[in-house]
Amino acid sequence: MPAACAVKMIHTMLLIHDDLPCMDNDDLRRGKPTNHKVFGEDVAVLAGEALLSFAVEHLALSTVGIEPSRIVRALEELARSIGLEGLVAGFVMDIHSEGLSDVGLEHLEYIHLHKIVALLEWKKKIKRKA
């Protein structure tokens, strides 16, 4: 359960950051005003950062009945999936694709694989190892 909660917190952080003016600049998410529209851009950035750090803390402190070395390994793999080779890479590619008219399927797949799939793959991998 802590791994599932961590994934949800990180996914929510991704959505908050993705909606920011410097990213996709969305005013609505699921028909409701986005976080930065309600609380301001500064608070939205901090909310995302808080969710990310709490996800790691929750996974580290709330996982019971698992060897500490396995928890550390899960944290390492989580960091990799949301870092430069995962989520961040997808965000960078997404930002640099704005306004391009010749974005192909391979390019879009890269963005989706790195923004979302890397996180879901991590959860699946953790679940298999449990």
Side-chain angles (χ1 to χ4, degrees):
M1 187 56 72
C5 291
V7 166
K8 188 58 183 168
M9 286 184 247
I10 294 168
H11 182 244
T12 302
M13 175 272 304
L14 180 152
L15 297 175
I16 290 171
H17 283 182
D18 202 42
D19 291 338
L20 289 168
C22 62
M23 303 297 262
D24 287 344
N25 196 23
D26 290 317
D27 292 342
L28 299 173
R29 174 150 311 266
R30 299 181 186 129
K32 296 185 179 184
T34 54
N35 196 294
H36 73 276
K37 287 295 180 181
V38 175
F39 302 106
E41 192 173 339
D42 51 355
V43 173
V45 169
L46 295 173
E49 299 307 312
L51 283 165
L52 179 58
S53 63
F54 188 60
V56 172
E57 177 185 345
H58 182 69
L59 182 62
L61 299 178
S62 299
T63 304
V64 293
I66 304 290
E67 292 179 34
S69 63
R70 291 182 67 197
I71 296 170
V72 169
R73 180 71 181 141
L75 290 167
E76 289 172 6
E77 291 180 14
L78 175 62
R80 194 170 295 112
S81 74
I82 61 177
L84 294 176
E85 297 175 16
L87 185 67
V88 172
F91 263 109
V92 169
M93 186 69 80
D94 192 11
I95 291 168
H96 288 285
S97 300
E98 279 296 312
L100 296 179
S101 60
D102 61 341
V103 175
L105 181 59
E106 192 174 301
H107 194 89
L108 290 173
E109 284 177 343
Y110 181 92
I111 292 169
H112 292 289
L113 283 172
H114 287 80
K115 282 179 76 174
I116 299 293
V117 176
L119 185 58
L120 297 176
E121 284 293 320
W122 171 80
K123 183 176 179 262
K124 192 164 97 177
K125 190 184 300 184
I126 295 303
K127 192 174 181 181
R128 264 196 319 261
K129 290 180 180 181

